[in-house]
Amino acid sequence: MSIDLINEARRQTEICNACRYCEGFCSVFPALTRNKMFTDGDITHLANLCHNCRGCYYSCQYTAPHEFDLNFPAALAEVRQDSWERHAWPQPLARRFHESGVAIASMLIVGFVVLFGMLQTFRPASGEGFYAYLAHGAMVSLFLPAFLLPLLSVIIGLRSYWQEIGGTRIRWNHIKGAGLAAARLKNLDGGQGQGCNFEHEDRYSNTRRWLHQAVMYGFLLCFAATSAGTVMHYVFDMPAPYGLFSLPKLLGVPGGILLTIGCVGLAWLKTKADPSLGAARVWGGEMAFIALLGGTGATGLALYAATGTALVPVLLAVHLGFVLVFFLLLPFTKMIHGFFRFVTLIVEEQKRRA
Amino acid sequence: MNFDVLKGPWDIVVVGGGNAALCAAITSAEEGARVLILESAPKTYRGGNSRHTRNFRCMHEGPLSVLTDSYGEDEYFDDLMLVTKGKTDEPLARLAIRSSEECLPWMEAHGVRFQPSLSGTLSLSRTNAFFLGGGKALVNAYYNTAEDLGVTVVYDAEVTHVHIEGDRFTHLVAQIGGKTHTIEGKAAVLASGGFQSNLEWLTRAWGPAAANFLIRGTPYNKGAVLRDMLDQGCESVGDPTQCHAVAIDGRAPKFDGGIVTRLDCVPFSIVVNCDAERFYDEGEDVWPKRYAIWGRLVAAQPDQVGYAIIDSKSIDLFMPSVFPPNRADTIEELGAQLGLDGAKLASTVSEFNAACRTGRFHPTELDGLATEGLAQPKTNWARPIDTPPYYGYQLRPGVTFTYLGLKVSETAQVYTASGPLSNVWAAGEIMAGSILGQGYLAGFGMTIGTVFGRIAGREAAAYVN
C-alpha cells in the first residue's frame, strides 16, 4: 500500500470534511461525512466510489495556488489506481500493463501472432464459417483458459479488496442499489443531472456519461451475444455462423456499434480533459485500453461485414487477437475498474444503511 | 495579453469580479450593453469573497426551489434587526429582502444550482438556499453565462482610480500586466468589495491588534476603489472602525482560509486567554450569535489569541475541524502544548469543574445547564472537563468583511454630498454597509450583492441605451 498516496488523500479528505460544500455532487461526499477519522480502508473505499467527474475540483476554493493545494479527484484517482494494482493477482503484471500503452500494444501483437500461427497450423480439413479457418476445438482450447484464468484472478483481487474496505453480508437491497447507480452512472450525473466537468473545464456536460453508457451497454450486449452463441452451440447444437436475425447478431451488432462509438468518443474526450485531475501516470495505459476495447468492437463489426469475402481469415485473426488480449489483460487494465466500482457501490449501500 | 481589447468602446465598465459584479454584468449585457469586467484577481482566484460563500438568504411566500415552508418579509426584516440592532437603512433593507424572492429563479435561470441544506446546517433549510458546490460553483456559472452573452473579462486588472468630473464618470485607471491603462466607458458599476485585506487600513481602524487578525476571504479586497471614491467626495455609510470578525482556528492561513477554518467547539468548551483565564460566558447562545461575537472577544484579549479547551465527551459534537486539535492526557500537558502555564490552566479547569451542576445536557438547544458561583459563569452546556484525552484549539479573530461603504440610492446610484452621480452605480460589499451596519446574517451578503447587482446592471444599461 502506498502510504504516501493514502496519507495525501487522507489530508485532503479531512479538509473536504471540514468544508462540505460539494456534498451534492456524488456519493463520495455524503460518504465522507460519516467519519471524522479515516482508516486506510475508508480512503480506499472513497477512492473507488469517486468516478472522477471533477465537479468538486472546479468548485473548490482550495485548489492550487491556495496553500491547502487540494486536487481531490487526482488524490482519489491515485489511491484508486494503486488499489487496483495492489489487489491484482499475479502481482508483477499489474503495474506494467496499467501504466504502459506500449505493453498493451505489444501484447496485442503477440495475440495476432499466436492466432495467425494457429490459423496456419490448425486449419481443419472441414468446417463451416469461422471454423473453416480455425477448428472449434482449437478455439476452445485457447479461449476457455484465456477467459477463466483472468476471471479467477479478478475474484482473488476482489476478495482482498472486499476485506480492505470492510464489506459485510450482501443483501438483495445492496445489489439493487448498486445496480441502479451503475446502470444510470449516477455518480457522473453531477447530482442534478447536469453531468460532469470533464472536457470543458468548469462547464457541465453529460457527454462523458452518455459515451460511457454506450461503452458499458455495448460491452454488455457483446458479452450477451457471445454467451447466447455459446448456449446455442452447446445446448441447442446450433453452431456459428448466425444470420442477422439470430440472438448473437441482434445483440452483438448494436453492442459492437455502441462499444466502438463509445470508445472513440471517450478517447477523444480524454484528450480534452486536464490530465492532472486524474492519475496522470496511467494516462497512456488508459488510452491503450480504450483502443483495445474499441478495437474489439470495431474488428468484430468488420469481421461480420466481411462475411463471405477473402478478408475473413485476416479479420478473424485480428478480432480474435483483440478478444484474446482483452481477456488476458482484464485484471491488469482499466477494465478492472468496473468490478471494483460495482463492489464499492455494494459496500457503500451497506455502509449507508448501517 | 492583447491590450487592444481594453480600448472598447465600452458601454459599461464593471469594477470587480464577484457575485454583485457578475449579476450587474449579466443583467446589462442582456439589455444589449457592451460590458467589460475588470477583476483584480487572477483567473484562479476570481470571484472575490463570493467564492467562499455558500448560500443565499431568500424571502419566500411558500415553498420555493430547495426552500421549505415560508419566510416572509417581516420575519426576514426582524432577523436583520436582531443582528444589526437597528443599524440599517430600512427602505434599502426591505428592497433587498423583497427582491430576494425573484432573485432565486433568476439565479437558477443563469446557471446557479441549489441543493438542500448541507449536513450540520439543517436549521437553515427554510431561510437559506445552498449553492451546489458552494460559491465558487456559482461564480463559475456566472462567468460562463457572462461569456456566452459576450461580456469581456480581464483578470489581474487592478483599478486604482475612477475619474469623476462633475457628476459624471469619464474613465478609469487600472494596472494591468504591469502597465497603467486608461479605460473609457459610458457608465461604471463599482462592485469591488470592502477593504478587509488591506492590513494597513485595518490597522488604522483597529490599532496594532489588527496585525494579528486573519483574513478569511480573498486577499484582493484592498478597498482601492472605495478609498478613491471617498476621497473624491462620495458619501459613505457604515462604521470605518468596524469589521466583522469571527473566532477561527488560529493556525488558519493569513488570507483565504474560508469556511474550513471555522471552529464550532466554543459552546462545549471553556475558552481561556494566554494567561489561562476565562473571559466570557462560552454558553451564552447558539449560532449565529455565539459565532459573531467571539471574533471580537478574542481580538480584545492579549495578543489577540484564545484557547478552547474540551474533553473527549465533546469532541464529536461539532463539525470536523480542518486542523487536528492539540491532544493530551492531562490538562497540564495540554496547557504546555498550547504554550500556556499548565498548572494555571489546570486550576482554571478545576475551578470551572467545581462550579458545574448535574442536569440534562442537550447539545442542540439552550439547555440551561449553568455553572454556579463563578464570577464568569457559563450559562449553558456547562459540563465538567474531566474525561481524558483533553483537546485544545487555538482561536484567532478571522475578519470576514468591513462595514464602511458607499452610500447608494434605491436604484444603486452612488451619492456625493451634492446628490447622486449620473452614471456610477455600486453593488455588493462596497455598499452593503448601508443595509448591514453591524452584525451578520448568514447568506445576506449574497442577497445584497444579487439584488443590487441586478439593479445596478439594469439601471446602467437603461442609462447607456
Side-chain angles (χ1 to χ4, degrees):
Chain A
M1 182 177 299
S2 170
I3 300 301
D4 284 354
L5 295 181
I6 294 262
N7 281 344
E8 173 58 11
R10 186 171 9 244
R11 177 188 79 85
Q12 300 202 23
T13 303
E14 283 169 1
I15 296 174
C16 290
N17 200 18
C19 172
R20 301 190 176 180
Y21 280 15
C22 291
E23 195 165 312
F25 280 124
C26 70
S27 304
V28 171
F29 296 94
L32 67 81
T33 62
R34 282 194 298 261
N35 299 62
K36 213 166 188 171
M37 314 282 277
F38 299 89
T39 64
D40 292 357
D42 292 332
I43 297 293
T44 308
H45 173 71
L46 292 174
N48 278 282
L49 203 51
C50 166
H51 286 52
N52 202 237
C53 83
R54 308 175 172 204
C56 62
Y57 177 86
Y58 288 106
S59 295
C60 182
Q61 312 157 55
Y62 302 116
T63 54
H66 194 284
E67 63 189 78
F68 288 167
D69 193 21
L70 288 199
N71 184 344
F72 203 40
L76 293 184
E78 296 286 359
V79 171
R80 185 164 63 240
Q81 185 65 42
D82 183 67
S83 73
W84 300 338
E85 293 170 12
R86 207 157 30 83
H87 290 283
W89 179 87
Q91 186 49 230
L93 293 176
R95 209 163 289 270
R96 169 137 189 80
F97 286 107
H98 272 294
E99 275 186 20
S100 180
V102 176
I104 293 177
S106 314
M107 186 79 180
L108 198 53
I109 291 164
V110 171
F112 291 152
V113 170
V114 168
L115 281 155
F116 273 118
M118 292 187 87
L119 284 178
Q120 303 279 327
T121 316
F122 295 101
R123 183 157 185 161
S126 65
E128 283 182 46
F130 300 144
Y131 308 128
Y133 304 101
L134 182 60
H136 184 260
M139 226 186 260
V140 170
S141 63
L142 181 62
F143 279 89
L144 197 65
F147 178 69
L148 291 180
L149 287 177
L151 270 189
L152 178 70
S153 162
V154 169
I155 290 167
I156 291 170
L158 285 181
R159 254 197 74 192
S160 66
Y161 174 69
W162 180 266
Q163 280 159 1
E164 180 175 321
I165 64 168
T168 54
R169 224 184 104 195
I170 302 180
R171 296 181 191 283
W172 167 241
N173 267 343
H174 307 151
I175 296 177
K176 190 178 147 198
L180 284 173
R184 292 179 292 138
L185 284 176
K186 197 184 159 304
N187 286 302
L188 277 182
D189 84 346
Q192 300 188 350
Q194 76 277 29
C196 49
N197 300 101
F198 193 72
E199 68 274 20
H200 301 300
E201 297 184 335
D202 56 55
R203 285 184 192 252
Y204 295 99
S205 151
N206 269 304
T207 312
R208 178 154 170 254
R209 188 168 164 231
W210 300 140
L211 290 169
H212 191 292
Q213 300 265 34
V215 171
M216 184 171 76
Y217 286 109
F219 176 80
L220 291 174
L221 284 171
C222 289
F223 191 75
T226 308
S227 306
T230 308
V231 170
M232 287 167 75
H233 184 99
Y234 287 105
V235 181
F236 298 102
D237 195 22
M238 295 164 67
Y242 304 105
L244 180 59
F245 293 102
S246 65
L247 209 47
K249 288 290 182 285
L250 286 175
L251 294 168
V253 172
I257 292 171
L258 282 173
L259 186 59
T260 308
I261 291 174
C263 285
V264 170
L266 285 184
W268 167 72
L269 282 189
K270 220 170 161 49
T271 65
K272 303 276 168 198
D274 183 346
S276 71
L277 308 192
R281 162 172 78 83
V282 295
W283 195 92
E286 286 180 345
M287 267 305 195
F289 168 71
I290 296 175
L292 174 63
L293 188 57
T296 307
T299 54
L301 289 173
L303 178 61
Y304 180 50
T307 305
T309 70
L311 287 170
V312 169
V314 175
L315 285 173
L316 181 65
V318 172
H319 179 59
L320 291 182
F322 269 95
V323 174
L324 181 65
V325 173
F326 172 81
F327 276 112
L328 285 176
L329 291 185
L330 190 140
F332 317 113
T333 57
K334 182 71 183 268
M335 190 64 197
I336 200 65
H337 84 281
F339 297 90
F340 274 70
R341 285 249 202 273
F342 194 70
V343 162
T344 309
L345 290 170
I346 290 173
V347 173
E348 176 58 18
E349 288 290 321
Q350 296 173 342
K351 292 185 172 182
R352 205 167 55 80
R353 291 161 194 264
Chain B
M1 68 170 281
N2 175 14
F3 293 119
D4 288 348
V5 71
L6 294 171
K7 291 199 173 77
W10 301 108
D11 291 327
I12 298 166
V13 183
V14 176
V15 183
N19 172 54
L22 291 160
C23 288
I26 289 169
T27 304
S28 46
E30 281 180 334
E31 301 288 324
R34 286 161 301 182
V35 182
L36 172 70
I37 289 178
L38 296 173
E39 161 63 303
S40 63
K43 187 176 177 187
T44 47
Y45 276 135
R46 69 185 181 184
N49 279 338
S50 304
R51 67 190 211 97
H52 288 296
T53 64
R54 67 168 158 184
N55 59 55
F56 175 78
R57 185 173 284 258
C58 186
M59 174 188 131
H60 51 107
E61 296 294 354
L64 176 67
S65 184
V66 295
L67 295 167
T68 53
D69 204 352
S70 68
Y71 185 48
E73 180 183 335
D74 289 336
E75 188 186 354
Y76 195 150
F77 186 73
D78 290 346
D79 287 345
L80 180 63
M81 290 299 281
L82 275 177
V83 297
T84 59
K85 309 229 167 21
K87 283 178 86 171
T88 184
D89 178 324
E90 182 166 347
L92 288 184
R94 286 192 179 271
L95 173 65
I97 289 168
R98 270 198 302 276
S99 307
S100 67
E101 190 168 18
E102 63 176 50
C103 282
L104 192 139
W106 184 90
M107 294 163 83
E108 288 180 318
H110 291 83
V112 177
R113 289 179 175 274
F114 294 97
Q115 64 174 359
S117 291
L118 301 162
S119 51
T121 55
L122 288 172
S123 57
L124 296 174
S125 65
R126 187 172 67 88
T127 56
N128 291 51
F130 286 69
F131 315 133
L132 176 67
K136 189 171 168 191
L138 169 135
V139 165
N140 289 344
Y142 281 159
Y143 274 104
N144 286 327
T145 303
E147 183 190 317
D148 293 345
L149 288 166
V151 173
T152 300
V153 181
V154 178
Y155 297 105
D156 288 304
E158 195 183 355
V159 174
T160 52
H161 177 54
V162 178
H163 195 78
I164 308 291
E165 280 178 19
D167 73 337
R168 292 176 48 75
F169 143 81
T170 57
H171 65 273
L172 53 77
V173 180
Q175 297 292 325
I176 305 168
K179 291 198 181 89
T180 303
H181 296 267
T182 299
I183 299 160
E184 292 178 13
K186 293 181 192 163
V189 173
L190 310 179
S192 50
F195 64 89
Q196 64 275 16
S197 48
N198 186 330
L199 295 177
E200 198 185 312
W201 194 340
L202 276 188
T203 309
R204 272 206 299 280
W206 274 77
N212 287 329
F213 292 1
L214 303 173
I215 314 302
R216 292 189 86 194
T218 177
Y220 296 92
N221 276 5
K222 294 208 155 73
V225 172
L226 174 62
R227 179 82 272 156
D228 179 60
M229 295 302 282
L230 294 175
D231 288 348
Q232 293 185 81
C234 290
E235 289 210 84
S236 75
V237 291
D239 188 339
T241 69
Q242 295 297 317
C243 62
H244 185 251
V246 295
I248 62 171
D249 196 306
R251 298 160 293 179
K254 183 73 179 173
F255 290 101
D256 246 336
I259 185 68
V260 298
T261 61
R262 82 154 113 46
L263 277 178
D264 288 347
C265 59
V266 169
F268 310 119
S269 71
I270 61 165
V271 178
V272 300
N273 60 18
C274 59
D275 301 322
E277 285 168 352
R278 291 177 63 240
F279 53 88
Y280 198 81
D281 176 8
E282 301 88 350
E284 185 177 65
D285 206 347
V286 283
W287 190 97
K289 190 176 173 187
R290 171 243 330 150
Y291 196 59
I293 62 173
W294 278 88
R296 189 165 300 264
L297 291 169
V298 172
Q301 294 304 308
D303 297 336
Q304 293 72 51
V305 65
Y307 300 89
I309 312 293
I310 60 171
D311 67 2
S312 56
K313 296 197 298 292
S314 300
I315 189 71
D316 287 325
L317 294 177
F318 51 93
M319 282 280 287
S321 57
V322 69
F323 302 107
N326 285 90
R327 179 187 147 136
D329 289 327
T330 65
I331 294 288
E332 286 84 354
E333 197 188 321
L334 182 66
Q337 275 188 31
L338 294 168
L340 302 171
D341 179 338
K344 181 78 188 297
L345 182 64
S347 93
T348 302
V349 169
S350 56
E351 189 191 354
F352 170 80
N353 288 353
C356 289
R357 300 172 299 137
T358 53
R360 193 188 65 114
F361 169 77
H362 200 298
T364 55
E365 59 189 59
L366 296 171
D367 63 2
L369 190 58
T371 54
E372 246 172 19
L374 280 184
Q376 188 66 264
K378 183 176 180 186
T379 51
N380 287 290
W381 312 295
R383 290 194 300 181
I385 295 169
D386 58 4
T387 312
Y390 301 101
Y391 299 91
Y393 289 97
Q394 189 197 77
L395 302 172
R396 290 220 179 252
V399 179
T400 50
F401 55 85
T402 45
Y403 293 102
L404 180 70
L406 299 176
K407 184 184 172 187
V408 295
S409 68
E410 288 197 23
T411 54
Q413 267 181 301
V414 174
Y415 265 87
T416 66
S418 52
L421 294 171
S422 64
N423 63 348
V424 182
W425 289 265
E429 195 184 335
I430 198 170
M431 49 62 72
S434 302
I435 300 167
L436 194 62
Q438 181 183 329
Y440 186 60
L441 200 54
F444 194 51
M446 293 300 276
T447 306
I448 297 172
T450 308
V451 169
F452 282 89
R454 290 179 65 209
I455 291 173
R458 184 188 72 211
E459 297 293 321
Y463 172 84
V464 300
N465 279 337

